[in-house]
Amino acid sequence: MEELQDYFNNGKTDLQYRLLKTDDYTVGYCEIPGVKSHKIQHETAYKLLYTVLSDEFGVDLKTLVIERKEDGKPYAAGESFFFNLSHCDGLAVCAVSAGQDIGVDVEQIRECREATAKRVMSDSEYASFLTAVDKNKAFFRIWTYKESVLKLTGEGLRRAPREIDSAGNTGYRVEQYEITFNGKEFIISCAIN
């Protein structure tokens, strides 16, 4: 993380990004340039977060300290905002909320397998999936819903995705966005308390 803070402390904030804003949170997203290794995707997501925090929220990056909770979820120590990150297939996403904890997930809409859907979906979700006109889109709407909730709670995939039913009441508000970026379709889901 130190190399990322050094990157921004030296004024190298030329990352091009787009925003989705609501009353409760802001989502930033940007292209991941070059080789799309997990490390590059992860670093780009943090660079995006730092850029959005600096540009949109006026956060002094020289004083920003990112730590991890016991469950591994990152947070900004001593700050009043919450954040979460995701990346997929050349797109990095960050979500920042001033008042509530947040979870975010992004997936490119692509072909899905019915066996995978059956394994990760609740019975009601699977029934809905089977009747969907666009099964691929339906799958990733349900998957990103689940993942954003699991990232909000800090449980990650330690909790079975089947246990979260997007068709029922999870106790969290989840909002979804479909975007097209560089000719690819993505779904972004944000879960907040």
Side-chain angles (χ1 to χ4, degrees):
M1 270 335 166
E2 288 180 24
E3 65 276 2
L4 295 175
Q5 285 184 330
D6 289 343
Y7 178 92
F8 287 100
N9 288 341
N10 293 326
K12 299 176 184 172
T13 57
D14 58 353
L15 199 63
Q16 299 297 310
Y17 61 93
R18 296 179 185 159
L19 296 175
L20 301 167
K21 290 186 174 189
T22 74
D23 290 340
D24 297 317
Y25 59 86
T26 297
V27 175
Y29 61 97
C30 72
E31 180 178 12
I32 300 170
V35 177
K36 312 270 188 308
S37 71
H38 182 76
K39 180 181 179 192
I40 298 290
Q41 291 185 69
H42 183 78
E43 287 179 357
T44 302
Y46 270 99
K47 288 176 184 179
L48 172 64
L49 172 68
Y50 289 168
T51 301
V52 169
L53 288 175
S54 177
D55 292 357
E56 306 299 325
F57 293 89
V59 173
D60 181 359
L61 299 177
K62 292 177 184 168
T63 63
L64 181 64
V65 177
I66 304 291
E67 295 183 356
R68 293 197 177 270
K69 297 178 182 177
E70 284 184 24
D71 60 19
K73 184 175 180 176
Y75 71 98
E79 300 289 347
S80 60
F81 62 84
F82 300 88
F83 73 90
N84 202 237
L85 307 171
S86 187
H87 50 78
C88 177
D89 296 320
L91 189 72
V93 175
C94 73
V96 180
S97 171
Q100 300 168 303
D101 207 352
I102 193 163
V104 68
D105 190 46
V106 63
E107 290 291 340
Q108 180 186 353
I109 299 170
R110 57 193 185 276
E111 189 174 343
C112 68
R113 294 184 170 158
E114 198 168 308
T116 302
K118 188 171 180 86
R119 189 176 68 247
V120 301
M121 291 181 184
S122 69
D123 292 340
S124 61
E125 289 169 330
Y126 187 65
S128 174
F129 166 79
L130 289 176
T131 61
V133 172
D134 185 337
K135 285 186 174 61
N136 296 327
K137 189 177 285 189
F139 176 84
F140 286 105
R141 286 185 71 79
I142 292 168
W143 178 256
T144 59
Y145 182 105
K146 292 171 179 285
E147 185 76 14
S148 68
V149 169
L150 291 169
K151 291 176 76 177
L152 165 68
T153 64
E155 294 171 288
L157 292 176
R158 293 184 303 274
R159 180 175 176 193
R162 248 181 100 75
E163 294 177 15
I164 297 168
D165 189 346
S166 65
N169 182 4
T170 61
Y172 304 103
R173 188 174 92 218
V174 179
E175 296 175 347
Q176 297 184 308
Y177 308 92
E178 293 180 26
I179 64 167
T180 300
F181 194 78
N182 288 342
K184 300 176 186 175
E185 289 184 277
F186 293 88
I187 294 179
I188 299 171
S189 289
C190 291
I192 59 174
N193 282 332

Short mmCIF file of all heavy atoms in Angstrom, two decimals, residues 5 12 14-15 27 37 54 65 67 70 86 88-90 104 118 121 123 128 148 151 153 155 162-163 171 186:
data_model
loop_
_atom_site.label_atom_id
_atom_site.label_comp_id
_atom_site.label_asym_id
_atom_site.label_seq_id
_atom_site.Cartn_x
_atom_site.Cartn_y
_atom_site.Cartn_z
N GLN A 5 0.37 5.03 -1.93
CA GLN A 5 0.31 6.35 -1.31
C GLN A 5 1.43 7.23 -1.86
O GLN A 5 1.21 8.40 -2.13
CB GLN A 5 0.39 6.23 0.21
CG GLN A 5 -0.93 5.74 0.79
CD GLN A 5 -0.92 5.72 2.29
OE1 GLN A 5 0.12 5.52 2.93
NE2 GLN A 5 -2.08 5.90 2.88
N LYS A 12 0.89 12.21 -8.95
CA LYS A 12 0.61 11.46 -10.18
C LYS A 12 -0.85 10.98 -10.19
O LYS A 12 -1.14 9.81 -10.14
CB LYS A 12 1.55 10.27 -10.29
CG LYS A 12 3.00 10.68 -10.36
CD LYS A 12 3.89 9.46 -10.36
CE LYS A 12 5.35 9.85 -10.33
NZ LYS A 12 6.23 8.72 -10.15
N ASP A 14 -3.31 11.08 -12.58
CA ASP A 14 -3.83 11.23 -13.92
C ASP A 14 -4.81 10.13 -14.32
O ASP A 14 -5.12 9.96 -15.49
CB ASP A 14 -2.67 11.30 -14.93
CG ASP A 14 -1.78 10.07 -14.88
OD1 ASP A 14 -1.97 9.22 -13.97
OD2 ASP A 14 -0.90 9.94 -15.73
N LEU A 15 -5.31 9.40 -13.37
CA LEU A 15 -6.25 8.32 -13.64
C LEU A 15 -7.57 8.89 -14.14
O LEU A 15 -8.15 9.78 -13.52
CB LEU A 15 -6.47 7.53 -12.34
CG LEU A 15 -7.03 6.13 -12.45
CD1 LEU A 15 -6.08 5.22 -13.20
CD2 LEU A 15 -7.26 5.57 -11.06
N VAL A 27 -19.83 5.95 -6.54
CA VAL A 27 -19.11 4.85 -7.16
C VAL A 27 -18.24 5.43 -8.26
O VAL A 27 -18.70 6.20 -9.10
CB VAL A 27 -20.09 3.82 -7.78
CG1 VAL A 27 -19.32 2.73 -8.54
CG2 VAL A 27 -20.98 3.20 -6.72
N SER A 37 -3.23 -8.63 -14.74
CA SER A 37 -2.94 -9.56 -13.66
C SER A 37 -3.73 -9.15 -12.42
O SER A 37 -4.17 -8.00 -12.30
CB SER A 37 -1.44 -9.56 -13.33
OG SER A 37 -1.09 -8.35 -12.68
N SER A 54 -9.40 11.89 -3.02
CA SER A 54 -8.74 13.18 -3.13
C SER A 54 -9.56 14.16 -3.95
O SER A 54 -9.85 15.28 -3.50
CB SER A 54 -7.35 12.99 -3.76
OG SER A 54 -6.72 14.23 -3.95
N VAL A 65 -4.64 6.42 6.28
CA VAL A 65 -4.07 5.14 6.69
C VAL A 65 -5.13 4.06 6.45
O VAL A 65 -6.22 4.12 7.02
CB VAL A 65 -3.66 5.14 8.18
CG1 VAL A 65 -3.15 3.78 8.61
CG2 VAL A 65 -2.62 6.22 8.44
N GLU A 67 -6.18 0.25 6.93
CA GLU A 67 -5.91 -0.92 7.76
C GLU A 67 -6.93 -2.00 7.42
O GLU A 67 -7.83 -1.77 6.61
CB GLU A 67 -5.97 -0.54 9.24
CG GLU A 67 -4.87 0.43 9.64
CD GLU A 67 -4.86 0.75 11.13
OE1 GLU A 67 -5.75 0.28 11.86
OE2 GLU A 67 -3.96 1.48 11.54
N GLU A 70 -10.34 -7.63 11.48
CA GLU A 70 -9.99 -9.04 11.72
C GLU A 70 -10.45 -9.94 10.58
O GLU A 70 -9.78 -10.92 10.26
CB GLU A 70 -10.59 -9.52 13.04
CG GLU A 70 -9.87 -9.03 14.26
CD GLU A 70 -10.45 -9.61 15.53
OE1 GLU A 70 -11.06 -10.69 15.49
OE2 GLU A 70 -10.27 -8.97 16.57
N SER A 86 -13.68 -3.35 -5.99
CA SER A 86 -13.89 -4.55 -6.81
C SER A 86 -13.22 -4.34 -8.16
O SER A 86 -12.94 -3.20 -8.55
CB SER A 86 -15.39 -4.81 -6.99
OG SER A 86 -15.62 -6.04 -7.64
N CYS A 88 -12.89 -6.42 -12.31
CA CYS A 88 -13.24 -7.56 -13.15
C CYS A 88 -12.99 -7.21 -14.61
O CYS A 88 -13.44 -6.16 -15.08
CB CYS A 88 -14.71 -7.92 -12.96
SG CYS A 88 -15.28 -9.24 -14.02
N ASP A 89 -12.29 -8.08 -15.31
CA ASP A 89 -12.16 -8.00 -16.77
C ASP A 89 -11.83 -6.60 -17.28
O ASP A 89 -12.49 -6.09 -18.19
CB ASP A 89 -13.42 -8.53 -17.44
CG ASP A 89 -13.64 -10.01 -17.16
OD1 ASP A 89 -12.64 -10.75 -17.16
OD2 ASP A 89 -14.79 -10.40 -16.93
N GLY A 90 -10.86 -5.95 -16.68
CA GLY A 90 -10.40 -4.66 -17.18
C GLY A 90 -11.11 -3.45 -16.61
O GLY A 90 -10.89 -2.34 -17.07
N VAL A 104 -19.24 -3.46 -2.53
CA VAL A 104 -19.45 -3.30 -3.97
C VAL A 104 -18.88 -4.51 -4.71
O VAL A 104 -17.89 -5.11 -4.28
CB VAL A 104 -18.81 -1.99 -4.49
CG1 VAL A 104 -17.29 -2.03 -4.42
CG2 VAL A 104 -19.28 -1.67 -5.90
N LYS A 118 -27.35 -23.10 -10.17
CA LYS A 118 -28.06 -23.98 -9.22
C LYS A 118 -27.28 -24.10 -7.91
O LYS A 118 -27.87 -24.14 -6.83
CB LYS A 118 -28.28 -25.36 -9.84
CG LYS A 118 -29.16 -26.26 -9.00
CD LYS A 118 -29.53 -27.53 -9.76
CE LYS A 118 -30.39 -28.42 -8.95
NZ LYS A 118 -31.80 -28.13 -9.03
N MET A 121 -27.37 -20.26 -6.09
CA MET A 121 -28.63 -19.54 -5.91
C MET A 121 -29.56 -20.24 -4.95
O MET A 121 -29.55 -21.48 -4.84
CB MET A 121 -29.35 -19.40 -7.26
CG MET A 121 -28.65 -18.48 -8.23
SD MET A 121 -29.60 -18.39 -9.78
CE MET A 121 -28.50 -17.36 -10.74
N ASP A 123 -33.42 -21.36 -3.89
CA ASP A 123 -34.45 -21.98 -4.74
C ASP A 123 -35.27 -20.93 -5.49
O ASP A 123 -35.54 -21.09 -6.67
CB ASP A 123 -35.37 -22.88 -3.90
CG ASP A 123 -34.64 -24.11 -3.36
OD1 ASP A 123 -33.58 -24.47 -3.92
OD2 ASP A 123 -35.13 -24.70 -2.38
N SER A 128 -36.39 -18.05 -10.68
CA SER A 128 -36.42 -16.81 -11.44
C SER A 128 -35.41 -16.84 -12.58
O SER A 128 -35.69 -16.42 -13.71
CB SER A 128 -36.14 -15.63 -10.50
OG SER A 128 -36.03 -14.43 -11.22
N SER A 148 -21.85 -8.31 -3.16
CA SER A 148 -21.80 -6.99 -2.53
C SER A 148 -22.24 -7.07 -1.06
O SER A 148 -21.66 -6.41 -0.20
CB SER A 148 -22.64 -5.96 -3.29
OG SER A 148 -24.02 -6.23 -3.22
N LYS A 151 -19.40 -8.69 0.88
CA LYS A 151 -18.29 -7.75 1.06
C LYS A 151 -18.66 -6.67 2.08
O LYS A 151 -17.80 -6.22 2.85
CB LYS A 151 -17.89 -7.15 -0.27
CG LYS A 151 -17.22 -8.21 -1.18
CD LYS A 151 -16.90 -7.68 -2.53
CE LYS A 151 -15.69 -6.79 -2.45
NZ LYS A 151 -15.30 -6.29 -3.78
N THR A 153 -20.62 -7.10 4.72
CA THR A 153 -20.56 -7.71 6.04
C THR A 153 -19.16 -8.16 6.42
O THR A 153 -18.90 -8.45 7.59
CB THR A 153 -21.51 -8.93 6.13
OG1 THR A 153 -21.05 -9.94 5.22
CG2 THR A 153 -22.94 -8.54 5.84
N GLU A 155 -17.88 -10.92 5.38
CA GLU A 155 -17.86 -12.38 5.39
C GLU A 155 -17.18 -12.97 4.16
O GLU A 155 -16.66 -14.08 4.23
CB GLU A 155 -19.30 -12.92 5.46
CG GLU A 155 -20.00 -12.59 6.75
CD GLU A 155 -21.47 -12.93 6.69
OE1 GLU A 155 -22.21 -12.22 5.99
OE2 GLU A 155 -21.85 -13.93 7.34
N ARG A 162 -25.52 -19.17 -1.39
CA ARG A 162 -26.91 -19.64 -1.39
C ARG A 162 -27.71 -19.10 -0.21
O ARG A 162 -28.93 -18.98 -0.27
CB ARG A 162 -26.92 -21.17 -1.32
CG ARG A 162 -27.41 -21.86 -2.53
CD ARG A 162 -27.39 -23.37 -2.30
NE ARG A 162 -28.70 -23.89 -1.98
CZ ARG A 162 -29.67 -24.06 -2.85
NH1 ARG A 162 -29.49 -23.72 -4.10
NH2 ARG A 162 -30.82 -24.55 -2.48
N GLU A 163 -27.02 -18.79 0.89
CA GLU A 163 -27.69 -18.32 2.10
C GLU A 163 -28.25 -16.90 1.95
O GLU A 163 -29.07 -16.48 2.75
CB GLU A 163 -26.74 -18.37 3.29
CG GLU A 163 -26.34 -19.76 3.69
CD GLU A 163 -25.34 -19.76 4.83
OE1 GLU A 163 -25.16 -18.72 5.50
OE2 GLU A 163 -24.72 -20.82 5.05
N GLY A 171 -31.96 -7.50 4.69
CA GLY A 171 -31.68 -6.50 5.71
C GLY A 171 -30.76 -5.40 5.21
O GLY A 171 -30.43 -4.48 5.96
N PHE A 186 -21.26 -4.55 -18.03
CA PHE A 186 -20.96 -4.88 -16.65
C PHE A 186 -22.18 -4.61 -15.77
O PHE A 186 -23.00 -3.75 -16.10
CB PHE A 186 -19.80 -4.01 -16.12
CG PHE A 186 -18.48 -4.28 -16.76
CD1 PHE A 186 -18.10 -3.62 -17.92
CD2 PHE A 186 -17.60 -5.19 -16.19
CE1 PHE A 186 -16.86 -3.86 -18.50
CE2 PHE A 186 -16.36 -5.43 -16.77
CZ PHE A 186 -15.99 -4.76 -17.94
#
